Amino acid sequence: MSKKYVYLFSEGDATMKNLLGGKGANLAEMTNIGIPIPMGFTVTTEACNKYYDDEKVITPEIIEEIHATMNKLEEVTGKSFGGTVNPLLVSVRSGARASMPGMMDTILNLGLNDETVEVVAKETGNERFAYDSYRRFIMMFADVVMDVDKKDFEEILHEMKEEKGVELDTELSAEDLKELVVKFKNYYKERKGEDFPQDPKAQLIESITAVFRSWDNPRANVYRRMNDIPSSWGTAVNVQEMVFGNKGETSGSGVAFSRNPATGERKIFAEYLMNAQGEDVVAGIRTPQPIEELEKQMPETYNQFVEIVNKLENHYHDMQDMEFTIEEGKLFFLQTRNGKRTAQAALKIAVDMVEEGLVTKEQAILMMDPKQLDTLLHPAFDTEEMKKHEIIATGLPASPGAATGKIAFSALEAKERHEAGEKVILVRQETSPEDIEGMIAAEGILTVRGGMTSHAAVVARGMGACCVAGAGAIKVDEKNKTMTVNGKVYSSEDYISLDGSTGDVYEGNIATVEPEISGHFGTFMSWADEIRSLKVRTNADTPHDAAQAIKFGAEGIGLTRTEHMFFAEDRIFIMRQMIVARTEEARRAALEKLLPMQKGDFKGLYKAMEGHPVTVRFLDPPLHEFLPTKEKEIADLAAELKLSVADLNGIISDLHEFNPMMGHRGCRLSISYPEIAEMQTRAVIEAAIEVNEEMGWNTVPEIMIPLVGEVNELKYVKNIVKKTADAIIAEKGVELKYLVGTMIEIPRACVTADEIAKEADFFSFGTNDLTQMSFGFSRDDAGTFLKHYYDKKIYDFDPFAKLDQTGVGQFVKIAVEKGRGVKENLKLGVCGEHGGDPSSVHFFHENGLDYVSCSPFRVPVARLAAAQAQVKNPRK
Ligand code: ADP
Ligand code: MG
Ligand code: MG
């Protein structure tokens, strides 16, 4: 039998997400567990991928299968698609594996044409409803399929309302809507040079094609890159019998969360609109009503609603985000999925559900997106500062956090000003999916219209961006770039501040303070720590960062970049003397001055780490990075060294390199100038002895030699280290354990890791350099051309942010195997940026590493990602 590309909802279930998409799989699951949903079918993600493989056509076989399944749907519903008796109307809805809210397009009321609209009017006895549905269909079809902007139709609708002297869409009569349909069709003809298509079968195939096409639209691409969704997944398309919330005052549509998505409170949070269809609720056209009103209006429907919401949450063991429609008092569900939520809400829900016995700790650990933890760790407004600023408006607390910036009135403006280094707040009437890039660029988002489930609110919560929605007191003039509140006018040069946790909008620029972490965070993270087997260290160069990381749960330092300490003003001058020294004596003299400073740094780090291991990487960057460039600096240095400026300039230009990334750096420096390694060893060892004595600790310093590509390099530098260290330890007559290991960051080191391991106490993968050396492009320059790679789908992701497992990851694997092959207990870690990236953490877990090391703020992210990796793929 040939491959099946179309499934009735009754043929699928929740496990089939990859094939049916999230929406389709859940529609199937709801069908199976007896939730009232309109029947329909799903065209699979494989059909979408095939569409792209076949140069963007749907093959006749698949079209045939779609029509055949439509016939089955006609049987099930007892209606006829395009028929003149009891016509079947459907929606065409996109649905990828992962939810991408509002990123792709939906068409409602398909099956209507000049003939069927009359039939619907007659059969329902509701002409107003029939034409309301038709005008919506024309607009959506034109927008999604034929590329005629929805806004143009909205403009025509707006004119009509003005003409008739009404405020709301619902106040237009049947006659008005009939007239509107004519206007819409005329406009369509004017734009497309042909009549609005009348054949429902053709409408259907065109619509499905358009959904496939929308998988590749620019805003979907941006969203995917942000959320780690590969383009190869494709989207499914759901075709579903329509139910109508626009049939009058006993009909309506709404959205619901089984718990509060902002706070996590265990209480249904839902909004709805009577006499409305589909996205009216989220589009902010009218202000929705809280679900509590429904209890008064239709108590029976309300009770049934609550029952279904609870049933779905219990069934999925997670907070659900649902869509529902009431058609003349009868309730239907149209979608359910695990709801997006703020980080605070996510923690509360996870902890509550464990306490309620609804999920295990392991399941709870999987409920939280590690990246979201980030938002909990970020600053809030200083309460004292906040009092000094006036609240100019209050909207809904749509997504928590604190944000300050100057006002930007369009997404494009926000993006451009952000790129130019400004902090901006995006202020809009309401946002739409096209605004995504501007929303990413902005510090915070403020909208005038829209509720807690508006586009801005949903997207901001997902991104962890601060958002205040529906601040109705504000008037925005997007054309003239002004915002008016209480008679006062604000321009692009004015600062405002948003408190996403209260919904307050302040005038001016408010200082922020570090967040406090406690309560649910502590409980939840303690579960993660119980579960995970991968340890988490931090990359820290200062006691301040190290202390921060300890607070966030770091178990040691995996990387201290010693060069960062030399950029301080009082040191760089001495550092320069060391670099331009032409004799060993002169170099030693400068190093002698650096020694106490460096030793002081290490003591500070050891103390901050409270006895946990500290890995110190020896000097790594090309020396000329430290050299002076300004005339005055050069003159001062020449004077100190008793050189002429010309001579010094000569030395400086000798140090110039064409390709410094591959130049005189890393262990190469210690090979040329062993006295550098001697000084650094002395600083590391003496500091450790002193701190251990003072504090009564057992700090084990780990000395890390960078950029080794050949075992003899390591052997040479290690000898210097050992000689120096052992002499100091003997001289002081103390015991001190220390390790000497290497960074693995050159492909040659990976493939000769068996040799290198013989000389190393540990390996730490420097995946930043390893990535740049494996790909052969520099991370400082790649930004300019990688964007072409994303546009052309050559890469889906930035390999510097997310480990390239297929290529760079193989080098890691080889080094692990070869290294552990000769030293079974060789300690293995990672200290590149990837150490804090969840999907990379999974990879390191699976390949048996002992620890990852990342920047302090990502430590909690890595702890959680490591726990999730252990739940999904237990080791040891
Ligand atoms: P999105 O993924 O953007 O939420 P959906 O496919 O869920 O898009 O649909 C958009 C809106 O249309 C939602 O409010 C949904 O409930 C509504 N809708 C979709 N299909 C139907 C249908 N068959 N009957 C009634 N409303 C529908
Ligand atoms: Mg949509
Ligand atoms: Mg939806």
Side-chain angles (χ1 to χ4, degrees):
M1 210 186 85
S2 62
K3 188 168 203 148
K4 186 171 165 73
Y5 287 101
V6 187
Y7 289 74
L8 281 171
F9 293 164
S10 50
E11 295 174 309
D13 64 52
T15 63
M16 295 163 73
K17 277 207 172 85
N18 294 0
L19 186 64
L20 304 178
K23 196 181 285 172
N26 285 333
L27 285 166
E29 186 80 5
M30 286 196 286
T31 307
N32 298 339
I33 63 172
I35 308 288
I37 68 157
M39 195 45 175
F41 59 84
T42 305
V43 186
T44 63
T45 54
E46 287 177 353
C48 176
N49 288 332
K50 189 161 165 49
Y51 161 85
Y52 281 103
D53 288 346
D54 296 341
E55 315 211 338
K56 304 197 185 180
V57 288
I58 305 182
T59 57
E61 292 76 32
I62 296 181
I63 291 179
E64 193 40 53
E65 200 180 338
I66 292 170
H67 290 316
T69 317
M70 182 57 102
N71 291 340
K72 290 189 195 156
L73 186 61
E74 292 179 312
E75 272 167 42
V76 178
T77 58
K79 295 181 178 175
S80 93
F81 187 57
T84 48
V85 182
N86 203 4
L88 173 62
L89 305 187
V90 295
S91 62
V92 176
R93 324 171 61 187
S94 67
R97 256 196 240 187
S99 99
M100 298 172 62
M103 280 299 127
M104 291 182 299
D105 297 310
T106 296
I107 296 167
L108 303 179
N109 311 331
L110 187 140
L112 283 174
N113 57 25
D114 294 350
E115 211 176 340
T116 50
V117 72
E118 276 302 316
V119 182
V120 171
K122 258 195 222 99
E123 287 179 358
T124 58
N126 190 341
E127 196 171 41
R128 188 192 179 284
F129 153 71
Y131 281 90
D132 184 54
S133 303
Y134 196 23
R135 63 102 183 166
R136 290 169 187 266
F137 171 58
I138 295 170
M139 179 172 93
M140 285 186 266
F141 186 87
D143 182 71
V144 176
V145 182
M146 306 305 288
D147 216 20
V148 186
D149 200 332
K150 187 160 72 180
K151 290 204 181 76
D152 299 351
F153 292 97
E154 279 165 355
E155 187 59 30
I156 299 172
L157 170 64
H158 185 75
E159 278 165 21
M160 174 124 201
K161 285 195 284 189
E162 293 217 316
E163 203 178 293
K164 308 281 172 189
V166 301
E167 245 334 276
L168 300 175
D169 301 359
T170 43
E171 294 167 320
L172 292 172
S173 68
E175 283 312 308
D176 297 340
L177 290 168
K178 250 184 178 170
E179 199 183 316
L180 187 65
V181 162
V182 174
K183 286 189 175 168
F184 275 15
K185 285 197 300 184
N186 287 343
Y187 181 72
Y188 182 92
K189 188 164 185 186
E190 187 186 313
R191 284 291 303 276
K192 300 308 293 184
E194 58 188 34
D195 285 322
F196 187 78
Q198 294 289 315
D199 173 12
K201 279 190 172 179
Q203 291 170 355
L204 178 67
I205 299 303
E206 293 269 12
S207 302
I208 292 172
T209 312
V211 174
F212 285 163
R213 204 164 54 223
S214 76
W215 177 248
D216 202 20
N217 74 30
R219 63 180 205 247
N221 283 328
V222 171
Y223 186 91
R224 274 204 296 276
R225 203 154 56 246
M226 238 180 79
N227 292 281
D228 283 7
I229 301 172
S231 61
S232 62
W233 281 4
T235 181
V237 183
N238 302 289
V239 177
Q240 186 175 24
E241 182 193 359
M242 284 301 303
V243 288
F244 298 98
N246 57 335
K247 266 191 174 169
E249 288 310 315
T250 55
S251 301
S253 86
V255 293
F257 291 89
S258 60
R259 303 186 186 213
N260 189 306
T263 63
E265 188 192 359
R266 189 182 181 186
K267 181 168 173 241
I268 295 173
F269 181 87
E271 295 175 322
Y272 72 106
L273 272 175
M274 292 317 274
N275 201 8
Q277 188 172 49
E279 292 184 316
D280 289 0
V281 183
V282 288
I285 294 167
R286 284 179 277 151
T287 303
Q289 293 177 287
I291 197 70
E292 289 71 22
E293 292 295 310
L294 187 68
E295 187 171 12
K296 296 177 207 152
Q297 272 175 322
M298 302 179 174
E300 241 171 77
T301 312
Y302 174 81
N303 288 339
Q304 194 198 354
F305 167 82
V306 172
E307 205 176 292
I308 294 175
V309 168
N310 291 334
K311 181 167 176 182
L312 284 172
E313 184 181 280
N314 285 326
H315 184 74
Y316 284 98
H317 298 278
D318 199 349
M319 187 265 269
Q320 294 299 294
D321 166 1
M322 297 146 290
E323 293 170 358
F324 63 94
T325 283
I326 301 164
E327 181 176 332
E328 299 182 320
K330 190 164 161 25
L331 179 64
F332 295 91
F333 273 60
L334 286 156
Q335 184 171 343
T336 193
R337 62 181 172 213
N338 296 341
K340 293 210 188 296
R341 61 205 80 175
T342 64
Q344 284 92 334
L347 282 179
K348 178 164 166 51
I349 291 170
V351 173
D352 284 353
M353 284 187 171
V354 170
E355 278 163 12
E356 288 159 27
L358 195 58
V359 299
T360 63
K361 287 179 188 174
E362 281 74 14
Q363 287 168 323
I365 285 298
L366 294 181
M367 281 165 66
M368 177 106 190
D369 175 0
K371 280 193 221 146
Q372 251 198 328
L373 283 177
D374 235 19
T375 59
L376 285 174
L377 312 174
H378 286 294
F381 287 135
D382 180 335
T383 34
E384 286 309 306
E385 277 294 302
M386 216 150 74
K387 286 181 198 150
K388 296 181 204 150
H389 291 258
E390 191 195 341
I391 297 178
I392 53 174
T394 299
L396 300 167
S399 180
T404 281
K406 290 183 181 174
I407 305 170
F409 290 94
S410 74
L412 182 67
E413 184 191 342
K415 186 173 169 241
E416 288 176 353
R417 289 172 64 188
H418 170 77
E419 279 166 5
E422 256 187 280
K423 286 188 164 189
V424 295
I425 302 282
L426 179 62
V427 179
R428 305 273 291 151
Q429 195 68 18
E430 62 213 345
T431 64
S432 67
E434 292 89 75
D435 291 338
I436 182 84
E437 286 188 281
M439 295 175 73
I440 298 170
E443 307 297 314
I445 300 142
L446 170 62
T447 69
V448 177
R449 284 199 290 200
M452 289 294 281
T453 48
S454 66
H455 176 264
V458 173
V459 173
R461 279 200 293 275
M463 299 194 305
C466 165
C467 175
V468 173
I474 297 175
K475 300 265 168 305
V476 181
D477 181 344
E478 290 174 4
K479 267 208 190 97
N480 294 309
K481 300 193 180 223
T482 58
M483 167 183 120
T484 310
V485 200
N486 304 324
K488 187 163 173 188
V489 182
Y490 298 81
S491 76
S492 337
E493 280 312 299
D494 291 312
Y495 272 100
I496 54 170
S497 300
L498 306 180
D499 185 336
S501 313
T502 59
D504 291 332
V505 182
Y506 294 83
E507 187 177 287
N509 185 352
I510 308 180
T512 51
V513 289
E514 298 299 312
E516 280 190 41
I517 312 163
S518 57
H520 298 307
F521 182 85
T523 311
F524 183 79
M525 292 308 293
S526 74
W527 296 341
D529 292 342
E530 261 168 48
I531 291 168
R532 73 189 157 92
S533 64
L534 195 64
K535 294 216 177 309
V536 178
R537 295 191 181 187
T538 190
N539 300 344
D541 306 333
T542 64
H544 174 267
D545 286 359
Q548 181 72 269
I550 283 281
K551 265 201 261 169
F552 289 157
E555 299 165 290
I557 290 184
L559 174 65
T560 294
R561 307 169 190 84
T562 49
E563 58 273 11
H564 283 196
M565 301 163 177
F566 293 127
F567 282 105
E569 219 168 315
D570 55 330
R571 302 180 180 193
I572 186 94
F573 192 62
I574 306 170
M575 186 68 183
R576 287 170 179 164
Q577 296 170 26
M578 193 277 283
I579 291 166
V580 300
R582 291 296 88 177
T583 63
E584 192 183 318
E585 269 114 324
R587 205 171 302 109
R588 281 193 184 276
L591 285 167
E592 202 57 40
K593 289 190 244 173
L594 288 173
L595 173 64
M597 299 176 175
Q598 181 111 90
K599 191 166 139 187
D601 294 330
F602 295 151
K603 286 180 79 171
L605 283 172
Y606 296 150
K607 284 192 181 161
M609 291 312 286
E610 302 169 355
H612 291 291
V614 173
T615 309
V616 176
R617 179 182 68 185
F618 277 7
L619 196 61
D620 181 56
L623 293 180
H624 63 86
E625 278 190 13
F626 297 94
L627 286 175
T629 50
K630 296 195 191 97
E631 236 170 82
K632 163 121 191 358
E633 288 172 346
I634 294 175
D636 288 352
L637 187 60
E640 171 74 21
L641 295 171
K642 305 195 172 61
L643 284 172
S644 74
V645 168
D647 283 349
L648 180 55
N649 274 326
I651 295 174
I652 292 174
S653 72
D654 282 349
L655 282 162
H656 172 80
E657 288 178 314
F658 285 101
N659 192 347
M661 269 301 163
M662 297 191 154
H664 197 199
R665 54 172 290 218
C667 64
R668 295 158 204 167
L669 296 172
S670 299
I671 289 166
S672 304
Y673 310 124
E675 50 279 12
I676 298 180
E678 274 174 37
M679 183 281 278
Q680 293 203 291
T681 304
R682 184 168 284 277
V684 166
I685 298 297
E686 288 185 359
I689 292 174
E690 286 172 28
V691 169
N692 281 351
E693 239 167 39
E694 249 176 73
M695 312 300 292
W697 291 341
N698 260 326
T699 305
V700 177
E702 303 181 359
I703 291 173
M704 182 154 78
I705 313 300
L707 223 71
V708 163
E710 154 62 42
V711 63
N712 286 326
E713 292 177 306
L714 177 61
K715 217 172 176 173
Y716 178 85
V717 183
K718 184 179 145 190
N719 270 336
I720 301 167
V721 171
K722 288 231 131 185
K723 238 202 241 154
T724 313
D726 292 345
I728 299 167
I729 293 169
E731 186 193 319
K732 306 257 171 190
V734 292
E735 298 244 333
L736 179 77
K737 188 166 160 1
Y738 68 94
L739 306 180
V740 186
T742 179
M743 263 177 106
I744 300 288
E745 47 191 338
I746 291 184
R748 191 180 189 282
C750 298
V751 296
T752 61
D754 44 354
E755 295 186 13
I756 295 176
K758 289 184 196 142
E759 295 295 329
D761 295 328
F762 65 89
F763 283 175
S764 177
F765 291 95
T767 50
N768 301 346
D769 262 310
L770 187 57
T771 298
Q772 93 178 333
M773 307 249 185
S774 303
F775 278 93
F777 48 57
S778 106
R779 87 184 113 130
D780 303 309
D781 301 320
T784 56
F785 54 82
L786 276 183
K787 54 177 186 275
H788 306 303
Y789 279 63
Y790 306 140
D791 291 345
K792 301 193 172 156
K793 302 253 160 27
I794 293 171
Y795 297 151
D796 276 337
F797 311 107
D798 177 354
F800 291 104
K802 183 175 147 124
L803 187 80
D804 160 49
Q805 300 182 6
T806 5
V808 181
Q810 295 311 302
F811 279 122
V812 173
K813 263 190 165 154
I814 290 170
V816 169
E817 275 162 27
K818 292 200 162 214
R820 288 245 169 97
V822 297
K823 236 183 220 172
E824 209 181 324
N825 294 322
L826 182 68
K827 196 150 67 92
L828 300 172
V830 171
C831 62
E833 288 303 305
H834 304 96
D837 169 65
S839 73
S840 310
V841 169
H842 280 246
F843 179 85
F844 299 133
H845 168 90
E846 273 148 34
N847 285 283
L849 269 61
D850 296 300
Y851 68 87
V852 294
S853 187
C854 55
S855 62
F857 275 90
R858 298 180 89 184
V859 165
V861 176
R863 285 160 69 199
L864 178 54
Q868 293 182 338
Q870 175 72 15
V871 173
K872 286 193 179 153
N873 195 349
R875 70 178 207 197
K876 270 190 283 193

